[in-house]
Amino acid sequence: DTEVTQTPKHLVMGMTNKKSLKCEQHMGHRAMYWYKQKAKKPPELMFVYSYEKLSINESVPSRFSPECPNSSLLNLHLHALQPEDSALYLCASSQPGGSTGELFFGEGSRLTVL
Amino acid sequence: QQQVKQSPQSLIVQKGGISIINCAYENTAFDYFPWYQQFPGKGPALLIAIRPDVSEKKEGRFTISFNKSAKQFSLHIMDSQPGDSATYFCAASIRHRGSTLGRLYFGRGTQLTVWP
């Protein structure tokens, strides 16, 4: 079982809807990530939080809004999305100062935008 | 510009055979080379990783071979099993200067199918 839990597993939304994806980890990691993955492609980095502060934003459109309420939780707020935003959204965590490529991924939230 | 190049895109191996996936990189500042395994409908999971000061690392049936001078590394799966059928991503990471965080660059992935 993965130690990074993502909800919901599946989400269907219209282009005018507002929804949120949630991620929780209890490994004591202080870095958390959002990735986007299209079918048959590698994960693409969207955002990185380190010690609850936004450290990296990969020029993601403002219709995606991340939030890190505390060291265990990470949210991704979605608003006015486009059909091309349909993808698997992956949350991951790691320990800053540890091996830089050792990420622990959740199972993802499969998003469909109609 | 793709930081990590991975081949082949797909691989079909008979049960019991050896699966080999190759990756190449250019940036000599990369300091960690993990391989991730992803099953359909699941997130990627770290399979095995190596640092550039080591030429080989073995964990069970999985071996990473690392050639620093050629800037290449590969994953070998011995005695491949149908349960190994998944997508494999090689990756390379680099620590940002003055930061405890690193940046992970993925290869494009290899879809492995092991026939029984």
Side-chain angles (χ1 to χ4, degrees):
Chain A
D1 288 341
T2 181
E3 295 185 75
V4 177
T5 304
Q6 291 188 242
T7 56
K9 289 195 186 308
H10 300 276
L11 179 63
V12 179
M13 60 186 291
M15 289 190 284
T16 58
N17 292 157
K18 281 186 184 180
K19 298 284 185 182
S20 296
L21 305 180
K22 298 184 183 300
C23 174
E24 187 170 8
Q25 59 91 11
H26 292 290
M27 293 179 283
H29 291 167
R30 300 307 298 272
M32 296 187 75
Y33 308 72
W34 280 115
Y35 279 84
K36 173 183 177 180
Q37 187 178 28
K38 291 280 208 178
K40 298 187 186 299
K41 299 290 186 186
E44 296 174 30
L45 183 64
M46 299 175 72
F47 303 102
V48 182
Y49 275 83
S50 179
Y51 295 94
E52 296 91 67
K53 288 194 168 84
L54 184 63
S55 296
I56 297 175
N57 177 340
E58 290 290 308
S59 303
V60 179
S62 60
R63 57 185 184 269
F64 295 91
S65 175
E67 178 195 19
C68 190
N70 60 54
S71 60
S72 301
L73 294 174
L74 186 66
N75 298 321
L76 186 62
H77 303 297
L78 314 171
H79 174 55
L81 294 192
Q82 304 296 310
E84 59 265 29
D85 296 321
S86 298
L88 181 68
Y89 288 85
L90 294 161
C91 173
S93 70
S94 72
Q95 192 63 294
S99 296
T100 58
E102 188 173 1
L103 301 187
F104 293 80
F105 284 89
E107 295 197 344
S109 293
R110 174 76 60 189
L111 173 67
T112 302
V113 182
L114 301 177
Chain B
Q1 182 185 1
Q2 195 181 358
Q3 296 270 2
V4 180
K5 294 182 180 177
Q6 182 173 348
S7 64
Q9 189 172 344
S10 63
L11 181 62
I12 300 174
V13 172
Q14 203 159 14
K15 179 182 174 182
I18 302 174
S19 304
I20 302 174
I21 305 171
N22 300 300
C23 289
Y25 65 97
E26 285 298 325
N27 190 341
T28 56
F30 286 135
D31 60 3
Y32 188 73
F33 298 86
W35 284 87
Y36 283 84
Q37 179 189 54
Q38 185 174 25
F39 292 104
K42 304 291 186 183
L46 180 65
L47 182 64
I48 187 173
I50 198 168
R51 295 195 182 279
D53 53 349
V54 176
S55 61
E56 184 175 282
K57 184 172 182 181
K58 185 175 181 178
E59 289 184 2
R61 296 184 293 109
F62 300 90
T63 300
I64 300 178
S65 297
F66 190 86
N67 186 329
K68 190 172 180 178
S69 60
K71 292 185 279 188
Q72 295 175 346
F73 59 110
S74 59
L75 176 70
H76 295 236
I77 306 175
M78 310 299 287
D79 187 26
S80 298
Q81 299 296 311
D84 297 329
S85 298
T87 300
Y88 293 81
F89 293 99
C90 64
S93 69
I94 183 171
R95 191 181 300 277
H96 296 297
R97 187 178 300 174
S99 170
T100 57
L101 278 180
R103 174 67 192 271
L104 191 61
Y105 295 88
F106 285 96
R108 289 188 188 272
T110 296
Q111 190 165 346
L112 172 66
T113 302
V114 181
W115 288 100

